């Protein structure tokens, strides 16, 4: 049976970009273990800000609480990188405000209707109707989680 609660609790964070975070990018195949980092292996320097944040002024981080997006690879405690400069197109994963509660869902546009789709069969989809206070707060661009 589908759960009545549709929300994930989210903690918002604004990225503070004071300096570049340069990390060596090693483009060498590794069959087992990790090679000694030597100049022979370093292909270039990778800046995580450049890789993960395309619109710094419009980007924020959010920590997920809940499991309604588990089948999309989003688990509780994951941190999402969310870009407000991107347009929420069909089937994108978005952070949205629904009646003053924040949630992360897949947005679906079907026959002039908007749905927020959970990626867990235990949760119902949310149809956005005229009586629902709704606003998209950005498109999820990356998921950060521990392994």
């Amino acid at each position: 049976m589908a759960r009545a609660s549709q929300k994930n609790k989210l903690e918002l964070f604004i990225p503070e970009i004071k300096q570049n975070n340069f990390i060596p990018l090693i483009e060498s195949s590794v069959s087992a273990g990790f090679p000694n980092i030597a100049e022979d292996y370093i292909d270039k320097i990778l800046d995580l800000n450049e890789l993960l944040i395309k619109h710094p002024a419009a980007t924020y981080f959010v920590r997920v609480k809940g499991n309604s997006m588990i089948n999309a690879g989003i688990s509780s405690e994951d941190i999402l990188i969310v870009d407000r400069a991107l347009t929420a197109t069909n089937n994108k994963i978005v952070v949205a405000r629904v009646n003053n509660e924040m949630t992360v869902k897949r947005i679906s546009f079907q026959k002039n209707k908007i749905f927020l789709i959970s990626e867990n069969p235990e949760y119902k989809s949310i149809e956005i109707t005229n009586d629902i206070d709704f606003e998209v707060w950005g498109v999820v661009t990356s998921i950060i989680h521990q392994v």
Side-chain angles (χ1 to χ4, degrees):
M1 176 171 228
R3 294 183 183 175
S5 176
Q6 298 296 320
K7 62 186 179 237
N8 281 335
K9 295 181 186 215
L10 305 173
E11 295 176 68
L12 299 175
F13 304 94
I14 303 297
E16 185 174 343
I17 303 173
K18 289 184 176 179
Q19 62 184 12
N20 292 330
N21 296 317
F22 295 113
I23 297 174
L25 174 62
I26 299 172
E27 292 193 1
S28 171
S29 60
V30 179
S31 59
F34 194 79
N36 291 331
I37 295 181
E39 288 188 29
D40 293 343
Y41 292 105
I42 297 175
D43 184 58
K44 61 183 176 180
I45 300 297
L46 178 66
D47 179 357
L48 292 178
N49 292 318
E50 182 180 314
L51 178 69
L52 298 174
I53 301 174
K54 302 300 182 206
H55 305 106
T59 299
Y60 64 93
F61 301 139
V62 62
R63 185 181 307 275
V64 176
K65 303 286 185 189
N67 63 359
S68 71
M69 294 299 288
I70 196 84
N71 291 337
I74 299 173
S75 301
S76 192
E77 298 300 318
D78 283 352
I79 295 175
L80 307 178
I81 300 176
V82 184
D83 191 333
R84 292 195 72 162
L86 300 177
T87 302
T89 57
N90 195 46
N91 289 322
K92 292 288 187 181
I93 297 175
V94 300
V95 171
R97 181 181 49 78
V98 179
N99 292 332
N100 293 321
E101 294 187 20
M102 300 301 289
T103 190
V104 58
K105 299 283 185 272
R106 187 174 303 279
I107 196 165
S108 178
F109 301 100
Q110 303 172 18
K111 298 180 182 178
N112 297 323
K113 293 183 180 182
I114 301 172
F115 294 90
L116 296 177
I117 310 293
S118 297
E119 293 284 343
N120 180 335
E122 294 184 23
Y123 294 83
K124 293 181 182 178
S125 297
I126 303 168
E127 181 179 355
I128 303 302
T129 59
N130 289 335
D131 60 328
I132 292 177
D133 185 22
F134 169 74
E135 180 183 9
V136 172
W137 273 43
V139 175
V140 175
T141 60
S142 297
I143 305 164
I144 301 170
H145 65 261
Q146 300 293 318
V147 293

